Amino acid sequence: MERESQLAEMVRCVNEGGRLVLLSGEAGVGKSALLEATRRDLGAVRWSWSACDGLFIPQPLTPLFDLAEQLGGDLLERCEAGAEREELFRALLHELGSTGVPDVVVVEDVHWADEATLDLLRFLGRRLRGAPVTVIASIRDDETAGDALRVALGDLAAQPTTCRIRLEPLSADAVRTLTEGSGFAADDVFRLTAGNPFYVTELLQAEGPGVPASARDVALARAVRLDPSAREALETAALIGAGVELSLLTALSSAAGLDGLLTSALLVADGIRLRFRHEIVRLAVAEAVPPHRSFLIHRRVLEALHAQGCDDNARLAHHAEGAGDADAVLRHAPAAARRASQLGAHHEAAAQFARTLRFAGAAARDRRAELSEDFADELALLDRFAEAEDAARQALALRREIGDRLGEGAALARLARIAASLCRGRDAAEQTRAALAVLEPLGPTVELARAYATLAHQCLLGTDYESAIRWARRARQLAERFDATDVLSGALNTEAAGAAGLGREWTGLMQRALEVALAGRHQDQAGRAYANLAGISEGRLRFADAERCLHEGIAYCDEHDITAYATFLRGDLAHVLERTGRWDEAVATAHRILSEAGTSPVGRQCALVRLGVIRARRGESGFWPVLDEAAATADHQGEPPYQVAARLARAEANWLAGHPSKARREAESAARPGAGCTAAERGAVAVWLRRTGSRQTVRGELAEPYQRMIDGDATGAATLWTELGCPYEAGLALLDSGEEELLHQAYRIFTELGADATAQLTRRALRRLGARFVPTGPRPTTRAHPLGLTRRQHDVLGLLADGCTNAQIAERLFISAKTVDHHVSAILAKLQAPDRATAGRIARLGVPGFGVSSRPVR
């Protein structure tokens, strides 16, 4: 009922092919029913069905393995052979569309997807264009989504092949139709269910007194009506999981119980498996099983899976934990963790190691130390450094207890790396020295190579480039000797960055570092290589090169669940967006970083600076708290580039606020750390010292645009900044000139950027010159836009509300499609709208002048 338009849209997408359909709605709203109706309405189409696992720690890529069983061929062979995930992704893509018949792939319950499955959807979404394939992903959107799912949905929604279809609950009229002749009052049913089709239909099927208030109550009310043997089979099926093999359930249930369960209609056939008609019913039943009976059922399931030769370690670990079988957990959970890590599902890997450690109390101390180290490494990849430090300290204590000097040295080096990520530079240096004191007397080892690489990285962070190169080369020698390619990649990376800091050739070393990391599947080192490739390009003012590398690196880190480096790269992206005048996008990126729980201090640092400085330039409130945090973090961290960025941001904020002495002190506090930084960073310090009236100077080479500003060549500097794509810096160069004509040019730049505070400063400079014409500034009505949008964003939103595509908006406003993309991203961020349609609805409700067919006037 009330699904005609959605059904037509679904059929259209399948007929066109080359589409990824995101089918969303609350639990029980009828997503599965719509899929079944679509299948009935279509002709010669091959359907393949899969679902994400609802276990607490899902098995990575469960949907892919489900599809392999149905599609067979090379994909199934590679799955059975334990191939790498990239091979599996490509094998699936090759299999789809290979029969001459259009393919429809259904992935249900993506809200339970592991990171590897989300990466699979990203992979397919980017490659569907023109293929006779439609991928339909159903998502429950009435629960709080995890960060990984939100990020993935944002990425998928941005793909041109993506179509979003959302199902709303039924109207009161529809519920009234359904309840006719049932004996239930339609108004009561609608009040209790809010029109949720599952709640409505389950409620109408429930018998006995009382009205269940939720799906849990409905499910349990129906379960109670089953006879004891059928109820036992139901509980067993619920604890087995989302997909229940008929052979397994038969081995665990009596014939009468199985017959009673199958006639209840709580489960339906799905190929060679059974599944609950509604997953929420399975969860309700599973949660209601008493603990003593749950324990026994999990033990029986585990024994049956072993008897049937099951090799799914994640599944076995789940039932082992439910059965309280420590030996089985220690056997299966670590294997599941390592497979998850190999597949780039690091959240699942960390959860499996955590599960293992809960049952490892009686294990040997060296085994517990190894598990704690693996757990710490996974947590570090996920930007959960505080937890990683706890796990690493436990490992260190265990290594010391058993007298394992080699393990102790490696544990100290691991703690040093974690401390550096927590912005505790002194602790990192102390632990590195302790690691070397333990490891060097033991002779050449891989552990010593890793400690040398750790020391080299710390020297690099402190801008001691010569020492960084020296220690990196020592690490390289040992890494090559022991074929430790992860250490080799890190050492090459540090050596390249050190060479760049000294103005030497660095690209060959850095490219080799990335190649070694990718070839060896060292995902953290690959993330670091992308970060430094982008960072060095950015430091040399090559913003276009940096942005290309950042997008490539972010895609890699998102696909491989490397949260720590993905956050770091997004911070750098926010910097590039700010420098190149795309402030709304920079703010949206910064907010995304700061809104993610558990982000490390180093991950927050760049976002804080960008957000603070843009707010200050716009004359908005709330910039001092973020700049205070940025400065405190940078001082605690002790890394010169971060100190320079935080101090210069505060200098600019004070300068804009009319506090010249405070601005000068902040600029002078950046001089000492800036001395060892790049020519661009030294140039920025030199310019702010001059701008704030300081007598201090900066020694060493300055990047050319800054040198021209120091030399008083305002127009030359502005031209260079414009060529680099940095409008705000161009405006500042013109403002520094003190010439009336150039000040007017600067004012126009600041106004276009929305830098109201800087524009006001420019107006004051014009008044001091006695200029005949001084701009009056933006009108109060412009500043007080009800949604906080700029004029151009208002225009874009008006066309967006009319349903125009980006290409149509670009044509009507005479701007590029890429510029429209930027404006749409900024609008969605400001309105906190998940999609274009929602933004259009907000516009019509919240902005005077937006109607059903509004058009901006030019």
Side-chain angles (χ1 to χ4, degrees):
M1 297 189 69
E2 299 183 333
R3 297 292 185 260
E4 294 83 0
S5 63
Q6 293 91 341
L7 178 60
E9 178 71 359
M10 188 78 79
V11 170
R12 183 186 66 79
C13 288
V14 174
N15 284 333
E16 288 180 356
R19 304 304 296 269
L20 171 65
V21 180
L22 299 178
L23 176 61
S24 63
E26 65 186 35
V29 79
K31 297 182 291 295
S32 297
L34 182 64
L35 290 170
E36 292 289 350
T38 305
R39 180 160 64 172
R40 288 195 303 269
D41 282 10
L42 291 169
V45 175
R46 180 174 65 164
W47 287 75
S48 303
W49 296 76
S50 65
C52 296
D53 204 332
L55 299 178
F56 181 71
I57 307 175
Q59 158 71 3
L61 292 179
T62 293
L64 187 144
F65 297 128
D66 287 347
L67 296 171
E69 292 180 3
Q70 299 168 59
L71 298 172
D74 182 59
L75 174 61
L76 180 59
E77 292 177 6
R78 290 178 184 270
C79 286
E80 292 174 345
E84 296 292 336
R85 72 177 205 163
E86 285 80 7
E87 295 180 53
L88 300 180
F89 288 5
R90 288 186 171 82
L92 173 60
L93 188 63
H94 178 74
E95 182 63 33
L96 296 175
S98 62
T99 63
V101 175
D103 272 296
V104 178
V105 173
V106 177
V107 183
E108 294 194 271
D109 298 327
V110 171
H111 46 274
W112 284 317
D114 60 282
E115 275 78 2
T117 297
L118 295 176
D119 292 343
L120 173 61
L121 291 175
R122 287 189 181 99
F123 178 90
L124 294 174
R126 293 173 181 144
R127 295 163 175 83
L128 287 176
R129 187 189 293 270
V133 179
T134 303
V135 177
I136 305 172
S138 72
I139 306 153
R140 183 185 299 175
D141 61 7
D142 59 336
E143 297 179 355
T144 301
D147 290 341
L149 179 60
R150 281 195 293 266
V151 170
L153 291 179
D155 292 343
L156 293 171
Q159 297 298 321
T161 57
T162 299
C163 172
R164 302 191 70 156
I165 299 176
R166 190 179 191 282
L167 299 184
E168 301 290 346
L170 299 174
S171 67
D173 289 340
V175 172
R176 187 170 292 107
T177 300
L178 290 172
T179 56
E180 287 177 358
S182 67
F184 285 86
D187 290 343
D188 287 343
V189 172
F190 187 78
R191 176 176 56 83
L192 290 170
T193 66
N196 181 285
F198 167 66
Y199 290 177
V200 171
T201 55
E202 291 297 312
L203 178 61
L204 295 178
Q205 292 179 40
E207 297 176 1
V211 178
S214 67
R216 173 184 170 84
D217 294 333
V218 170
L220 296 181
R222 295 185 66 184
V224 166
R225 298 198 303 272
L226 300 175
D227 63 56
S229 61
R231 194 181 312 161
E232 181 179 355
L234 176 68
E235 292 175 346
T236 301
L239 291 175
I240 286 175
V244 183
E245 298 94 330
L246 188 57
S247 60
L248 178 61
L249 189 58
T250 300
L252 296 169
S253 307
S254 66
L258 193 58
D259 287 342
L261 175 61
L262 294 177
T263 57
S264 72
L266 286 168
L267 279 78
V268 296
D270 186 10
I272 61 173
R273 295 185 178 187
L274 299 173
R275 61 175 174 84
F276 279 76
R277 184 179 297 277
H278 303 288
E279 177 64 14
I280 198 169
V281 175
R282 183 189 75 79
L283 294 173
V285 173
E287 292 170 0
V289 179
H292 69 281
R293 206 151 66 235
S294 174
F295 174 87
L296 294 174
I297 292 173
H298 277 297
R299 186 170 68 182
R300 292 176 60 223
V301 172
L302 182 64
E303 291 171 350
L305 289 173
H306 280 143
Q308 293 183 0
C310 176
D311 60 358
D312 185 339
N313 284 301
R315 188 178 187 188
L316 292 167
H318 167 74
H319 292 296
E321 181 176 29
D325 189 336
D327 290 340
V329 170
L330 290 173
R331 187 163 60 253
H332 297 299
R338 294 187 176 98
R339 179 57 175 164
S341 181
Q342 181 186 35
L343 291 170
H346 295 290
H347 282 88
E348 282 68 35
Q352 291 288 5
F353 279 126
R355 168 183 275 163
T356 306
L357 288 167
R358 290 197 295 270
F359 286 82
R365 285 178 291 184
D366 60 341
R367 179 82 188 283
R368 280 186 284 148
E370 179 185 355
L371 290 169
S372 294
E373 289 160 354
D374 289 339
F375 186 35
D377 290 343
E378 292 295 331
L379 291 170
L381 292 175
L382 297 172
D383 204 9
R384 293 162 58 183
F385 288 105
E387 297 170 76
E389 185 175 38
D390 290 340
R393 288 193 182 281
Q394 292 173 13
L396 174 61
L398 289 166
R399 295 295 184 190
R400 284 174 169 166
E401 285 177 16
I402 61 180
D404 179 1
R405 295 288 285 171
L406 191 63
E408 179 185 351
L412 285 164
R414 177 179 287 102
L415 277 168
R417 294 190 292 274
I418 293 171
S421 297
L422 288 170
C423 301
R424 299 207 313 267
R426 292 180 182 176
D427 290 346
E430 180 181 339
Q431 287 157 348
T432 302
R433 287 193 296 269
L436 291 173
V438 171
L439 292 170
E440 286 186 324
L442 302 178
T445 59
V446 171
E447 290 77 7
L448 181 59
R450 193 165 280 113
Y452 282 151
T454 301
L455 176 57
H457 186 215
Q458 289 175 10
C459 292
L460 177 68
L461 296 177
T463 66
D464 183 357
Y465 300 127
E466 293 287 6
S467 296
I469 292 171
R470 183 172 68 255
W471 289 112
R473 286 175 176 170
R474 294 186 69 171
R476 276 182 63 185
Q477 291 172 356
L478 288 176
E480 289 168 345
R481 175 175 174 179
F482 294 105
D483 195 28
T485 52
D486 62 328
V487 183
L488 176 61
S489 174
L492 287 166
N493 189 319
T494 299
E495 185 177 351
L502 294 171
R504 303 172 187 167
E505 167 56 33
W506 61 278
T507 53
L509 286 169
M510 192 66 77
Q511 286 294 341
R512 187 182 170 205
L514 178 59
E515 290 166 3
V516 170
L518 293 174
R521 294 186 174 87
H522 307 307
Q523 296 162 2
D524 56 338
Q525 293 297 343
R528 183 180 174 225
Y530 280 120
N532 280 346
L533 276 166
I536 295 171
S537 295
E538 179 186 336
R540 297 190 171 196
L541 307 182
R542 300 204 310 253
F543 297 109
D545 292 343
E547 186 170 357
R548 282 193 295 271
C549 192
L550 285 167
H551 285 300
E552 185 177 344
I554 289 169
Y556 176 88
C557 291
D558 283 346
E559 289 182 1
H560 292 83
D561 199 16
I562 312 297
T563 308
Y565 277 111
T567 301
F568 187 88
L569 288 163
R570 283 192 170 89
D572 274 356
L573 179 61
H575 188 201
V576 170
L577 293 169
E578 177 257 307
R579 295 296 296 270
T580 53
R582 290 169 283 169
W583 290 1
D584 288 330
E585 292 177 80
V587 168
T589 303
H591 276 305
R592 173 175 175 174
I593 294 169
L594 298 176
S595 66
E596 293 175 356
T599 301
S600 64
V602 71
R604 292 172 60 86
Q605 172 71 18
C606 193
L608 290 167
V609 172
R610 303 283 74 76
L611 188 60
V613 79
I614 291 173
R615 285 178 178 174
R617 293 168 183 173
R618 286 174 163 173
E620 299 173 347
S621 61
F623 57 86
W624 279 123
V626 293
L627 291 181
D628 287 344
E629 181 184 342
T633 299
D635 289 345
H636 194 58
Q637 190 174 10
E639 296 177 23
Y642 291 103
Q643 292 174 317
V644 169
R647 292 300 172 186
L648 293 187
R650 292 173 64 82
E652 182 177 354
N654 277 298
W655 177 69
L656 290 169
H659 304 306
S661 59
K662 291 181 180 180
R664 184 169 56 254
R665 285 197 297 270
E666 293 287 0
E668 289 173 347
S669 71
R672 186 179 58 81
C677 291
T678 66
E681 288 161 329
R682 286 195 300 272
V685 172
V687 165
W688 277 104
L689 288 171
R690 181 176 183 268
R691 187 173 287 140
T692 57
S694 174
R695 295 183 179 181
Q696 289 191 28
T697 58
V698 174
R699 295 181 180 179
E701 179 188 0
L702 309 182
E704 186 177 1
Y706 292 110
Q707 186 62 61
R708 293 213 182 182
M709 293 170 78
I710 294 294
D711 294 340
D713 182 5
T715 54
T719 298
L720 286 176
W721 283 123
T722 301
E723 291 172 353
L724 291 168
C726 302
Y728 187 73
E729 281 73 15
L732 289 179
L734 297 170
L735 175 58
D736 287 345
S737 72
E739 299 178 18
E740 181 176 348
E741 182 181 350
L742 299 184
L743 288 175
H744 279 292
Q745 293 179 30
Y747 178 79
R748 286 193 291 273
I749 292 173
F750 298 141
T751 303
E752 182 67 24
L753 288 170
D756 289 352
T758 324
Q760 185 177 1
L761 205 67
T762 309
R763 289 196 298 274
R764 288 201 294 266
L766 284 166
R767 290 193 190 98
R768 286 196 300 270
L769 284 176
R772 293 195 311 171
F773 169 72
V774 178
T776 58
R779 291 180 219 159
T781 53
T782 301
R783 291 196 299 266
H785 189 281
L787 297 179
L789 304 182
T790 65
R791 185 185 65 184
R792 179 50 57 90
Q793 289 168 357
H794 178 93
D795 292 348
V796 171
L797 181 57
L799 292 170
L800 199 155
D802 288 337
C804 294
T805 65
N806 284 8
Q808 291 168 333
I809 294 173
E811 183 178 358
R812 290 184 63 85
L813 298 182
F814 305 100
I815 56 178
S816 70
K818 185 175 182 180
T819 299
V820 175
D821 288 339
H822 297 326
H823 284 310
V824 171
S825 297
I827 290 167
L828 296 181
K830 284 187 176 182
L831 304 188
Q832 297 184 346
D835 52 44
R836 301 161 67 95
T838 303
R841 286 196 295 272
I842 293 172
R844 286 187 289 270
L845 291 172
V847 183
F850 277 119
V852 176
S853 181
S854 87
R855 289 285 189 275
V857 178
R858 293 190 55 80

